[in-house]
Amino acid sequence: MTVDLNNAQPLAWDSAKLDADTKEMLDNLQPNILRAHVREHLSVLFVRFNDVAAGKAFLRHIAVTKMKSARRHLEEVREFGANGRRGTPYVGIGISKAGYRDLGHSVEDVRRFGDKAFRDGMKRRGAELNDPPVTEWEPAYQREIHAVILIGDARRDRVEELREEILGELPESARLLGEETGQGMRNPAGDGIEHFGYVDGRSQPLFVRDEVDKEPKEHWDPAFPLSNILVADPFAPHPERHFGSYLVFRKLEQNVRAFKEIEQDLADALGLLGADRDRAGAMLVGRFKDGTPVTLKQKPGGGPVANDFTFDDDPGSKCPFSGHIRKTNPRSFGREVLMARRGQTYGDRTDDPWDDSPPGTRPSGEVGLLFMAFNSSLLAQFEFTQQSWANNEDFLNPATGHDPLIGQGARQAKVSWPKAWGRAEQSAPQAQVAQTITMKGGEYFFAPSLAYLRNL
């Protein structure tokens, strides 16, 4: 018997009827893949190995002494809900194509990975994604990265302690090429936000039953099969029940000052007044700052952040077709494309991201998102979403424009905006808003099974 990745039912991981193969899968799967791990504080280490034996020994040691399984993570979440007991920190490992080669796998071995984007590496995929030239990436990302080590927890001191331990165990032959530090941001309601001040991460594919059961699903079912996120680990002892996932990492710098100026300019151009001016930003993002979908309401507020909705009854008169959350998740189709996003914000702020301070007080750089997402196919999920949806001016309809947030490339089409919420009248076509998010570098990794790491 093997694990059925296409089962439409969410994974009942704690069921007494769970079969032995699925149990073994959970005991050998890294955490943070099936279910997001709390990581208010995050350390990201990029490593290059130069010795096969030393590199293998290092990864094996980290896996055996510092990494927990997906099953243990789910148990810790349940224990926290029952008695408030805090879980252990999260440590994750991703290995690049070059990393597998440096760990002694041949060219033929690496071809066993079915994803062409992974086999190419992110540097060779720039033309497909309209990424900046590699020469404009930050120096650490221009180099050949072999592995990424992720360390996350709700407490900063625990992350810093683990970081020091892991760096102290790095072999002399290896090099730390660079590192990033992430820190979660929350609005006064306690919801996670990104640097433009909007609630982020609300709409995610869910894979385990206890998460799915908490969600209303009259209009939108957040349950997804494991095939959206897991693939057989080709080098594990038993690939039919030892799984991993492709991990995309991209550092995205946000020009908050420019985005806030764009919000004001768009509100002026549409003649929006008073509280209705908030709708300008909501049309760009698809949600108001508090997470209220603009396709549901013309003003923010009204309770928990909604996720049970579609755009089926909205012909673009409420949420434009170019709205970020509509571009990247149309909801009426394309479910198989959705990724499990696990990003974290980076950079220090002296202002409050959620307030109404003037644009001149906002940062123009040095802050942004450490974008991370798990995929069963980088080519068919992440790259398809970026290339065919976010960067495509004719998706969802002709001349609807780029995704205002993450779209890359020349913005040539002129676009129109709803002049009033829910009405058919559109503004005269105008130039698209400028790009305010810049990709600073990244790489594709595979998050292998613990069975592979522990047997190196």
Side-chain angles (χ1 to χ4, degrees), residues 169-280:
E169 294 161 349
L170 196 66
E172 290 186 5
S173 57
R175 293 291 179 270
L176 177 67
L177 300 181
E179 60 181 305
E180 301 287 357
T181 300
Q183 181 172 325
M185 301 191 304
R186 295 187 179 274
N187 62 18
D191 298 311
I193 60 173
E194 47 72 56
H195 279 284
F196 292 151
Y198 290 77
V199 167
D200 191 31
R202 179 63 183 90
S203 179
Q204 293 273 25
L206 303 180
F207 304 96
V208 295
R209 174 162 292 170
D210 43 2
E211 277 195 297
V212 172
D213 287 348
K214 295 176 182 177
E215 292 287 324
K217 33 190 156 318
E218 181 180 353
H219 306 286
W220 168 255
D221 187 353
F224 283 72
L226 298 178
S227 57
N228 261 66
I229 197 171
L230 298 183
V231 292
D233 184 344
F235 303 135
H238 301 287
E240 70 278 4
R241 54 184 184 271
H242 295 157
F243 293 89
S245 187
Y246 293 107
L247 169 65
V248 52
F249 181 97
R250 287 161 79 83
K251 184 176 183 180
L252 305 177
E253 184 181 62
Q254 295 176 251
N255 186 336
V256 182
R257 183 177 305 171
F259 184 81
K260 293 301 174 183
E261 290 172 345
I262 286 169
E263 285 181 321
Q264 290 192 356
D265 292 344
L266 181 57
D268 290 343
L270 296 177
L272 304 181
L273 302 174
D276 198 34
R277 292 178 65 83
D278 289 342
R279 195 163 54 84

Side-chain angles (χ1 to χ4, degrees), residues 134-149:
V134 175
T135 54
E136 295 179 9
W137 294 10
E138 291 183 354
Y141 300 105
Q142 295 185 33
R143 303 180 70 181
E144 186 178 80
I145 299 170
H146 290 164
V148 60
I149 302 171

Side-chain angles (χ1 to χ4, degrees), residues 106-115 119 235:
S106 68
V107 173
E108 285 299 318
D109 282 344
V110 175
R111 286 179 182 153
R112 291 165 65 182
F113 287 104
D115 194 279
R119 297 196 307 269
F235 303 135

Side-chain angles (χ1 to χ4, degrees), residues 266 269-270 279-280 283-284 315-323 326 393 397-402 404 412-420 423-433:
L266 181 57
L270 296 177
R279 195 163 54 84
M283 288 191 293
L284 297 171
S317 61
K318 300 172 182 177
C319 180
F321 289 106
S322 63
R326 191 167 191 171
E393 293 183 324
N397 276 333
T400 54
H402 284 67
Q412 298 174 338
K414 291 189 175 183
V415 301
S416 298
W417 303 91
K419 296 188 71 173
R423 298 182 184 177
E425 185 181 5
Q426 299 275 313
S427 70
Q430 56 188 276
Q432 296 183 56
V433 300

Side-chain angles (χ1 to χ4, degrees), residues 130-133 136-138 141 196 250-256 258 346 364-371 386 404-409 411 434-442:
N130 284 330
D131 281 343
E136 295 179 9
W137 294 10
E138 291 183 354
Y141 300 105
F196 292 151
R250 287 161 79 83
K251 184 176 183 180
L252 305 177
E253 184 181 62
Q254 295 176 251
N255 186 336
V256 182
Y346 75 88
S364 58
E366 304 300 323
V367 300
L369 178 68
L370 304 176
F371 177 85
Q386 185 70 49
L405 272 63
I406 65 169
Q408 298 188 139
R411 303 188 177 197
Q435 184 175 328
T436 55
I437 294 180
T438 303
M439 189 270 202
K440 308 297 285 185

Side-chain angles (χ1 to χ4, degrees), residues 13 26 35 69-78 208:
W13 65 273
L26 288 170
R35 180 169 186 161
S69 68
R71 188 213 282 265
R72 182 57 197 151
H73 172 220
L74 293 170
E75 291 172 345
E76 288 182 354
V77 171
R78 183 173 58 189
V208 295

